[in-house]
Amino acid sequence: VQLQASGGGLVQAGGSLRLSCTGSGRAIRIIHMGWFRQAPGKEREFVAAISGNGDSIYYAGFKKDRFTVSRDTTTNTVHLQMDNLKPEDTAVYYCVADQADRITKGPRNWGQGTLVTVSS
């Protein structure tokens, strides 16, 4: 599985960004895809994930309705719409992919990461 993420950048607090990640490989259509993030000096944490057909969606508790994950099953692209961004959302965001039992805790497939910086 190969994952290519894009869409990071610099935004002011309260603004929005949309991250995208396109997956390729033999199993990509049927496995979960999602996002982790790692803030400076902190451990990586789960953000959101979605199943291969888009029917099952998982979010971390912190998102508080500010983040929305979606999936285009025709292109195997997962999006993370982030609204009302806060400085504490500043992190490198990683696209991930794996089976349902690993996607939120220990996915085995990682993209290269895209930096999101939220200024106050």
Side-chain angles (χ1 to χ4, degrees), residues 7-19 35 37 45 47 62-68 80-93 114-120:
L10 173 64
V11 64
Q12 289 187 331
S16 298
L17 277 177
R18 188 189 196 209
L19 305 183
W35 300 90
R37 70 182 186 182
E45 63 177 349
V47 177
F62 68 79
K63 79 152 187 107
K64 295 182 179 179
D65 298 324
R66 298 186 297 117
F67 293 1
T68 303
L80 183 67
Q81 176 67 38
M82 304 185 291
D83 299 315
N84 190 21
L85 283 161
K86 304 176 185 300
E88 52 263 42
D89 295 317
T90 294
V92 177
Y93 284 71
T114 185
L115 177 62
V116 171
T117 303
V118 184
S119 63
S120 58

Side-chain angles (χ1 to χ4, degrees), residues 16-119:
S16 298
L17 277 177
R18 188 189 196 209
L19 305 183
S20 298
C21 175
T22 299
S24 60
R26 189 173 62 180
I28 195 63
R29 291 185 299 107
I30 60 172
I31 62 174
H32 286 56
M33 294 177 68
W35 300 90
F36 272 64
R37 70 182 186 182
Q38 186 168 23
K42 296 187 177 181
E43 295 185 353
R44 288 180 181 180
E45 63 177 349
F46 169 72
V47 177
I50 187 168
S51 60
N53 60 10
D55 287 351
S56 297
I57 294 176
Y58 313 88
Y59 289 108
F62 68 79
K63 79 152 187 107
K64 295 182 179 179
D65 298 324
R66 298 186 297 117
F67 293 1
T68 303
V69 66
S70 61
R71 183 168 183 162
D72 182 342
T73 57
T74 62
T75 61
N76 294 315
T77 300
V78 62
H79 303 286
L80 183 67
Q81 176 67 38
M82 304 185 291
D83 299 315
N84 190 21
L85 283 161
K86 304 176 185 300
E88 52 263 42
D89 295 317
T90 294
V92 177
Y93 284 71
Y94 295 91
C95 179
V96 296
D98 211 317
Q99 302 294 338
D101 59 347
R102 297 186 68 113
I103 193 67
T104 65
K105 296 181 180 179
R108 290 166 290 188
N109 302 287
W110 292 75
Q112 82 282 13
T114 185
L115 177 62
V116 171
T117 303
V118 184
S119 63

